[in-house]
Amino acid sequence: MDDEDLDELLDEVEKKFCRNVSIASSAARTNSNVAGKDEKDKDGQKKHGATKPKRTVNSVTEDIDALLEELQEEDCSPFPQPKAEQFPKGPHVEKRLPSQSGGRKCCPVFIGGSSVANGVGTAASKRSCDQLRCISCDFRVLMFDDCEWDSTCDYLFLRNNMPERQKLGTKLKKRRGLRAYACQCSWISTLEPTDLRDQPQLRWVCGKHQD
């Protein structure tokens, strides 16, 4: 074999050897890059997995803070929420006014002098009624013991001065045993028990006496 043939052979071996080395080196670099990428992906997944709960906890904390702020705003509001009206449980009990409550009336109705006892009058007891009201002027009838009306007393005087006792006293005279009665439109003085059925000019009726 001559020198030329030997040189050609060496060249071919060198080319093949260098090519294999280049391919092996390229493959090694590729594998290294792939492995590095996989490791980075794994690290990224680990980091992602580690930080995810933190974001979840932070989110829950923010929601709680927001809810607490809303509650505080409601408590500090100058206009409180209207409360629903509460009704008592159980059967409804109707409240009755004193005038509608139980009581007794005089029957018949008597008036009398200061010596006649006041109370519920009956045909037997003949007590003087002290719960009289006039159905004409709708005033309560006032009584004055040991007094009688002066002859100058009239409708206009009663109209202007009823029910002020002090002013009415200017037309009263002291008379032992008598009792003076008056509403805004009528008046009378009496000594003995008197049945109002015998005094048709007096439009007085008995209110209820409390038991």
Side-chain angles (χ1 to χ4, degrees):
M1 182 179 293
D2 54 12
D3 293 335
E4 292 180 0
D5 294 334
L6 182 59
D7 292 334
E8 291 177 1
L9 181 60
L10 290 173
D11 290 336
E12 290 179 2
V13 172
E14 184 178 1
K15 288 179 181 179
K16 290 180 179 181
F17 178 77
C18 291
R19 183 181 179 185
N20 291 336
V21 171
S22 177
I23 292 173
S25 176
S26 176
R29 285 197 301 270
T30 301
N31 292 336
S32 177
N33 292 335
V34 172
K37 184 178 181 181
D38 292 339
E39 289 178 358
K40 289 181 180 179
D41 292 341
K42 290 180 180 179
D43 292 341
Q45 291 177 356
K46 289 181 180 179
K47 291 180 180 179
H48 180 73
T51 57
K52 185 175 182 181
K54 291 183 180 179
R55 288 201 298 270
T56 303
V57 172
N58 292 336
S59 177
V60 173
T61 303
E62 291 175 359
D63 293 341
I64 293 175
D65 292 341
L67 181 59
L68 290 175
E69 289 178 2
E70 291 180 1
L71 293 175
Q72 290 176 355
E73 290 177 359
E74 291 180 359
D75 292 339
C76 298
S77 175
F79 303 101
Q81 295 292 332
K83 294 182 179 180
E85 185 178 358
Q86 297 181 353
F87 294 94
K89 295 183 179 179
H92 174 68
V93 179
E94 181 181 0
K95 294 183 178 180
R96 301 170 64 186
L97 298 175
S99 61
Q100 298 175 332
S101 60
R104 293 183 295 169
K105 286 187 175 183
C106 299
C107 185
V109 180
F110 286 92
I111 58 174
S114 59
S115 60
V116 178
N118 293 326
V120 180
T122 63
S125 67
K126 295 184 178 182
R127 292 189 180 93
S128 177
C129 181
D130 57 355
Q131 299 294 326
L132 294 171
R133 178 171 290 275
C134 179
I135 60 175
S136 179
C137 64
D138 198 30
F139 267 72
R140 183 173 179 175
V141 178
L142 299 183
M143 303 184 301
F144 301 88
D145 287 345
D146 297 322
C147 294
E148 67 175 347
W149 292 109
D150 187 80
S151 58
T152 60
C153 181
D154 57 14
Y155 170 81
L156 187 61
F157 170 78
L158 295 176
R159 179 80 177 178
N160 294 332
N161 296 288
M162 197 67 167
E164 298 182 26
R165 285 179 170 271
Q166 186 174 359
K167 292 182 178 180
L168 293 172
T170 59
K171 293 291 184 179
L172 288 170
K173 296 187 300 182
K174 287 290 184 180
R175 181 83 179 271
R176 188 176 180 83
L178 270 73
R179 182 178 286 153
Y181 293 82
C183 62
Q184 195 183 39
C185 60
S186 303
W187 67 100
I188 192 173
S189 301
T190 184
L191 177 64
E192 300 294 331
T194 304
D195 191 334
L196 286 183
R197 291 177 296 183
D198 298 331
Q199 303 291 331
Q201 78 280 8
L202 301 176
R203 309 277 296 184
W204 298 346
V205 296
C206 174
K208 290 182 180 180
H209 293 263
Q210 299 299 318
D211 293 334

